[in-house]
Amino acid sequence: MQGLIEKELSSKDKILKPDFNSKTGRELLAFYLQTKFKQILAFDKKYPMPIFREVNPDFINKFSKRLINNPEKRFLISITGESAAGKSTICREISKVIEQLSMPVTILSTDNYFNDISQLIAKYGTFDKLRDSGYDVDAPTSFQLDVLKSDLQDLADGLDIKCPMYLPNGTGISMPQAIEVKSSKIIIVEGTATMYEDVKDIFDVKIYVETDDEIRKKWFVTRAVEERNQDIQNALKHWDYIAVAGEKYVKPYRRESDIIINGKADLKYFAQILEYIHTITNNFQ
């Protein structure tokens, strides 16, 4: 992939920058990006560990029409997948690349939109006891989907927002309008709630991160013990819950995704793909 980047930068055969204010210019850009995306997919197929597992056959045409017909709207990308599939790791890598290349991208996590359950936790004593009582943490009803939908619509229209902040400290407290979120040209939203019925159709591109269950289990338990100070028995107990919740709430939306990517992908290679995308969208005459 680094070779493609260098070839693109050194090429003397570049197209003139299209006039994005005209439909003809946007059509040229769409055709150009279609060609380059197909080039990425062809390269990826030959890579030892491809990042793209599946791409919806209709995706490229849908993506092109969106660019041509609705240029004013911000571009919203969702990243979903089962717990411990690698979503947050991939988003951290995106953040690094964004910082290095000064790309106009905002990243938002739907974990901030969990309901405030502080009173329920106070009633049952701990988050784990609340979960064990039957509270379904990952169900659509456990999120502030109305607030999430409204915020996403505002971001898509170019409006900055203040999103909630859910405290991941076991208290279950959600603080309303606590985090300032800028409406950049590209907005990436990560989390399971991105694919729920009330919000999924807002997104222009839906990405599903997929990783084998045994690897997910290993990652989940390691994170719970080393980063969240849980004992291994409780970590395994919570794994049993999220494995069932994933089958019920997340996997059904896999078939609606535009792109399925490998959660085990080499992050250096993934960063190079992002760098190449940045290069081709900024490397005109």
Side-chain angles (χ1 to χ4, degrees):
M1 184 55 68
Q2 191 62 42
L4 287 180
I5 296 171
E6 292 171 359
K7 182 179 179 181
E8 189 73 28
L9 290 172
S10 63
S11 174
K12 297 179 180 179
D13 186 21
K14 300 176 183 178
I15 67 171
L16 292 172
K17 185 174 182 179
D19 177 7
F20 301 140
N21 292 319
S22 71
K23 186 174 182 181
T24 301
R26 295 194 298 273
E27 287 174 341
L28 177 60
L29 174 64
F31 176 76
Y32 171 73
L33 292 179
Q34 282 183 32
T35 303
K36 293 299 183 180
F37 188 65
K38 289 176 182 176
Q39 185 181 41
I40 292 172
L41 293 179
F43 181 92
D44 186 66
K45 284 183 179 179
K46 299 176 183 178
Y47 197 76
M49 186 181 289
I51 192 168
F52 296 100
R53 287 191 168 182
E54 295 178 29
V55 177
N56 189 312
D58 297 329
F59 166 66
I60 294 179
N61 285 334
K62 185 181 77 170
F63 176 82
S64 300
K65 288 179 180 178
R66 161 65 176 82
L67 285 179
I68 294 167
N69 297 326
N70 198 356
E72 301 301 324
K73 183 186 170 189
R74 298 295 197 262
F75 211 83
L76 267 66
I77 300 172
S78 70
I79 298 180
T80 194
E82 294 184 87
S83 185
K87 302 185 298 298
S88 297
T89 301
I90 286 171
C91 282
R92 282 195 294 270
E93 190 64 29
I94 293 173
S95 296
K96 290 180 185 177
V97 176
I98 289 168
E99 185 174 348
Q100 291 168 1
L101 301 176
S102 300
M103 297 169 67
V105 180
T106 292
I107 297 179
L108 174 66
S109 172
T110 62
D111 284 358
N112 288 310
Y113 291 83
F114 277 117
N115 292 335
D116 187 308
I117 53 173
S118 55
Q119 291 185 355
L120 286 172
I121 288 177
K123 176 182 177 181
Y124 285 90
T126 65
F127 174 86
D128 295 330
K129 289 179 179 178
L130 174 61
R131 176 203 62 206
D132 294 345
S133 75
Y135 182 79
D136 202 346
V137 183
D138 290 332
T141 53
S142 295
F143 290 86
Q144 303 172 56
L145 293 182
D146 55 341
V147 178
L148 175 58
K149 182 177 181 179
S150 177
D151 283 353
L152 292 176
Q153 288 172 332
D154 284 345
L155 288 170
D157 290 336
L159 302 174
D160 296 344
I161 65 163
K162 289 186 176 181
C163 81
M165 179 170 65
Y166 181 83
L167 303 182
N169 58 4
T171 62
I173 294 173
S174 174
M175 301 170 60
Q177 297 185 326
I179 304 173
E180 293 187 358
V181 182
K182 182 177 176 58
S183 178
S184 301
K185 289 183 180 179
I186 299 172
I187 299 159
I188 297 174
V189 186
E190 176 262 326
T192 57
T194 61
M195 293 296 278
Y196 289 152
E197 290 296 331
D198 288 345
V199 299
K200 64 185 179 67
D201 291 333
I202 295 175
F203 293 99
D204 301 293
V205 179
K206 303 181 183 75
I207 296 174
Y208 188 98
V209 182
E210 188 170 67
T211 304
D212 297 341
D213 288 349
E214 284 304 310
I215 295 173
R216 287 177 51 235
K217 182 177 181 180
K218 179 181 177 182
W219 288 351
F220 179 84
V221 173
T222 300
R223 181 177 64 188
V225 173
E226 295 182 0
E227 298 179 18
R228 299 178 180 177
N229 297 317
Q230 295 183 17
D231 62 72
I232 193 165
Q233 288 80 13
N234 187 58
L236 289 170
K237 192 173 186 179
H238 196 58
W239 165 258
D240 290 339
Y241 162 76
I242 67 162
V244 174
E247 288 284 344
K248 184 176 181 181
Y249 298 122
V250 184
K251 272 192 175 181
Y253 293 108
R254 183 188 187 279
R255 63 181 178 271
E256 297 186 45
S257 299
D258 298 305
I259 301 172
I260 315 294
I261 66 174
N262 180 7
K264 297 188 301 178
D266 177 1
L267 290 178
K268 183 178 179 181
Y269 170 55
F270 179 65
Q272 288 175 344
I273 290 178
L274 295 176
E275 185 180 349
Y276 181 66
I277 292 171
H278 177 265
T279 300
I280 63 176
T281 52
N282 291 274
N283 197 33
F284 302 106
Q285 282 187 356

